[in-house]
Amino acid sequence: MGKIRHSSYKIRLMLIITYICAGIIPLLLFTVVVFKTTENYFIDERKKELLNQANVYSGHITISGYMSDSSNKRAFDRDIELTSEQSGYRIIVTDDMGAVVNDSNGTEIGKTVLLPEIMEALEKKDVATEQKNGNIYAVTSVVDENGKKIGTVLVAEETTDIEDMVNGIKKPIYVMNVLISFIVLAFVLVMSQTITGPLSKLLEVIRSMSEGHLDTRMPVDECSNNEIMQMAVAVNNMADALEQVETSRQNFVSNVSHELKTPLSSIKVLSESILLNSEAPKEMYIEFLKDINSEVDRMNEMINDLLTLVRLDQKEVPLNFKTESINDVLEDIIKRLRPLADNKEIDLQYNAVKEVEADIDRTKITLAISNLVENAIKYTDNGGNVKVTLDCDHQNTFITVADNGIGMAEDELQNIFQRFYRIDKTRARETGGTGLGLSITRSTVMLHNGSIKVTSHENEGTTFVVRIPLTHVD
Ligand code: ADP
């Protein structure tokens, strides 16, 4: 039980891990990527805006001639202050050596600012970058009337407003993510319960069956036609089959006991009558001993048949397949059984349509076909006829044993291959026979991957057709 629970927890854990890997992690990654992309977009837009601003102001400086004429210093200070106030940016103007010529904050004037962005603007092209402290610097060069670079304009601004805006949308989205995760987790737990619940129930049922409770069944919910329910149906069917095997095993044992008891009781009665009757004449002794002897023969025959059947069932002795002439096999059988037919003046005919060779176990097939021919002779009245025919096609050989004997009723035909089944039990005692012959024949034919069919009409006759593949494949 512990193990079963354990395995159902494992499946549940696997489902939850799958859900985390396939659901939560991609959701979080997606959210983070979306935030980062949004933030980068706004920062890029801001860079463009600042570069634009720096360009406009650099053009304005060139036109105003602030850099070349120091008498404009005051106008330059006022101008830069005003522009900074209007735009909200800090503006720094440097000369071509990086020395600060003007600063909207007024703090850096006179200092040399050797920022890489300023160098790049002087040496190559205008540039806008995001700083570690979160500010954006946009630097453009200032040119004189001849187009010579004489300085730079640096426009700087913080990005805190962008961060604030992104953070503002982050919170509700994260809350939504957590909510979605919980809803999906609850869904996964419910789903895993609907999968593992019936699965552990099924395992319990199988376990109970393996402990010998073959009557245990899994309740099948007709509505949910999923794989687990199909498995439950399959397990129930398997249990039915096992129960059938168990019942037929018990029947077999009780049949064997019953069949052996009959001759044993006769022997007991016969021997007791001799023992109690000490004055009995010699002829009576001989008579009774003959009867005892024939009962022992009968038991012997039955035990031999039983042993043959058990060996066939257990496949204890593997079949010895060899390519044999079926014509030879049938001729031998006919030769051996002809005296039996002659005793009853039965016309035993043999007709081979073709020469046939097939992979068979000769001893076993001889026994199987002999049973059919013996039955045909046994269940045909004196003067009747029995016909054995051999034919084949590309794949199979067909052996037909037909008689015009007593025949069988239609509804008996499905039972005659069962062990110990005899149609007329009283008659069977006269004719001999154990009721095992046809079971042996069928088991043998099955082991050859063949089949056996019977048609019969009461008082008209019976025909058995045995099909055996020409080549044996394991
Ligand atoms: P048995 O040893 O009694 O012959 P089988 O298993 O060979 O046992 O046959 C089972 C029963 O099938 C027989 O008891 C008989 O009633 C019936 N049967 C078999 N072969 C024939 C046949 N050719 N004609 C009529 N009945 C047959």
Side-chain angles (χ1 to χ4, degrees), residues 63-265:
I63 293 163
S64 312
Y66 289 142
M67 301 284 279
S68 47
D69 188 355
S70 55
S71 63
N72 282 342
K73 173 86 175 84
R74 295 196 73 189
F76 190 12
D77 287 349
R78 246 200 339 273
D79 193 80
I80 205 166
E81 222 170 280
L82 209 72
T83 313
S84 169
E85 256 173 41
Q86 277 171 359
S87 61
Y89 308 136
R90 183 175 178 184
I91 303 169
I92 293 173
V93 180
T94 71
D95 64 12
D96 57 352
M97 302 301 286
V100 176
V101 179
N102 212 333
D103 175 6
S104 60
N105 278 11
T107 52
E108 306 294 316
I109 298 173
K111 292 181 187 166
T112 303
V113 194
L114 289 173
L115 282 172
E117 288 82 2
I118 291 179
M119 295 302 153
E120 197 174 337
L122 282 170
E123 284 162 16
K124 292 178 201 155
K125 58 176 177 39
D126 301 348
V127 63
T129 55
E130 192 190 355
Q131 303 297 305
K132 281 203 184 93
N133 59 11
N135 288 349
I136 294 175
Y137 289 172
V139 186
T140 57
S141 54
V142 181
V143 291
D144 62 10
E145 305 85 56
N146 304 321
K148 188 178 166 252
K149 289 185 180 177
I150 52 165
T152 64
V153 172
L154 185 151
V155 176
E157 212 214 0
E158 290 177 347
T159 52
T160 42
D161 59 330
I162 295 176
E163 273 167 30
D164 288 349
M165 188 193 72
V166 174
N167 284 341
I169 52 170
K170 257 184 194 171
K171 209 174 157 197
I173 288 186
Y174 276 131
V175 170
M176 218 169 78
N177 273 359
V178 171
L179 269 175
I180 292 174
S181 303
F182 273 116
I183 292 169
V184 179
L185 183 64
F187 186 70
V188 168
L189 284 177
V190 172
M191 280 306 289
S192 67
Q193 175 57 34
T194 52
I195 295 171
T196 56
L199 215 56
S200 28
K201 178 91 189 77
L202 190 63
L203 283 169
E204 266 173 48
V205 169
I206 294 173
R207 193 170 148 267
S208 153
M209 281 175 191
S210 65
E211 279 169 0
H213 307 288
L214 288 180
D215 53 339
T216 326
R217 290 290 180 279
M218 174 84 181
V220 176
D221 177 7
E222 301 291 339
C223 311
S224 55
N225 183 26
N226 56 27
E227 281 84 348
I228 296 178
M229 278 308 131
Q230 285 169 17
M231 213 149 92
V233 173
V235 166
N236 287 349
N237 289 346
M238 192 182 73
D240 288 346
L242 281 175
E243 249 189 333
Q244 247 174 22
V245 170
E246 180 59 18
T247 319
S248 77
R249 193 182 65 84
Q250 283 166 4
N251 285 347
F252 183 64
V253 172
S254 83
N255 279 340
V256 171
S257 322
H258 180 77
E259 294 292 332
L260 289 177
K261 239 179 131 172
T262 319
L264 269 179
S265 325

Side-chain angles (χ1 to χ4, degrees), residues 375-376 378-379 403 406-408 416 421-424 428 432-439 462 464:
N375 276 350
K378 205 155 62 175
Y379 299 108
D403 64 60
I406 60 169
M408 290 172 272
I416 55 170
Y421 192 84
R422 278 165 302 185
I423 294 174
D424 186 344
T434 57
L436 294 170
L438 286 181
S439 306
T462 307
F464 283 93

